[in-house]
Amino acid sequence: MPANAQYWINHLQLRPHPEGGYYKEVFRSVNEVTRAGAVAPKQACTSIYYLLEGSDFSGFHRLASDELWYFHKGAPLHIHVLDSEGNHTTIELSDTDTGSLQAVIPPHTWFAAELPAATGFTLVSCAVAPGFDFAEFEMAGKDELLKHYPQHEKLLERLCRE
């Protein structure tokens, strides 16, 4: 059984993701939905494979839709979530006793992900509903988040790309 990141990057034909790591979109629904209060319809759901390895990380970002993460293989992954009141929660995605096999990130929530040991790799899937659209994707600016969440300076310094 292959157990390294490069195998999965090649096998699944993953490419670099703007927020860090590697990905490949594997599903984009032909069904459309209209978000409450919106006019334009969107795809009902999208799904990607996503892989992080070593010290790479998914920088703090947020989406306009719900995002569900599903653990497949590798090392534990920590998803760091900042709620609207500034509370920090860490969700461990893994198949260990301390982890969960899936996690839900509500819309408009700042979050980032990393391998806490900064070694190995993690392969997950992410499903977004209504479907992912780069126009609804926002990378966090470190300075802006530090203004709102100064109590999380160490976390933001480590996991913001800008």
Side-chain angles (χ1 to χ4, degrees):
M1 174 63 81
N4 67 49
Q6 195 59 53
Y7 170 84
W8 291 109
I9 291 167
N10 294 339
H11 180 70
L12 299 173
Q13 300 174 351
L14 305 178
R15 61 181 194 248
H17 195 289
E19 74 192 44
Y22 298 87
Y23 83 109
K24 180 180 181 182
E25 185 174 275
V26 294
F27 177 74
R28 183 167 287 273
S29 178
V30 296
N31 294 313
E32 293 184 336
V33 297
T34 303
R35 192 179 275 134
V39 176
K42 301 186 58 56
Q43 278 84 26
C45 180
T46 56
S47 183
I48 64 169
Y49 286 125
Y50 185 63
L51 183 142
L52 283 173
E53 65 176 324
S55 61
D56 200 6
F57 61 92
S58 169
F60 269 100
H61 64 287
R62 63 182 172 183
L63 305 175
S65 297
D66 293 301
E67 182 165 10
L68 294 91
W69 289 57
Y70 302 98
F71 179 82
H72 293 305
K73 293 193 168 292
L77 180 75
H78 283 182
I79 302 173
H80 299 278
V81 180
L82 295 176
D83 70 18
S84 58
E85 286 80 45
N87 298 307
H88 170 236
T89 306
T90 302
I91 302 167
E92 180 182 313
L93 272 187
S94 73
D95 58 359
T96 68
D97 290 341
T98 57
S100 297
L101 295 175
Q102 69 179 35
V104 177
I105 310 299
H108 310 291
T109 301
W110 291 111
F111 66 103
E114 66 178 340
L115 282 75
T119 61
F121 76 96
T122 300
L123 176 63
V124 299
S125 284
C126 300
V128 178
F132 180 83
D133 181 343
F134 269 108
E136 297 180 340
F137 168 87
E138 182 183 0
M139 283 300 295
K142 180 174 27 178
D143 293 340
E144 188 62 29
L145 280 190
L146 282 169
K147 287 179 193 174
H148 295 287
Y149 309 111
Q151 70 274 31
H152 302 302
E153 181 178 9
K154 286 183 181 180
L155 180 69
L156 297 173
E157 289 287 341
R158 191 173 79 243
L159 297 177
C160 283
R161 296 226 174 252
E162 298 177 11

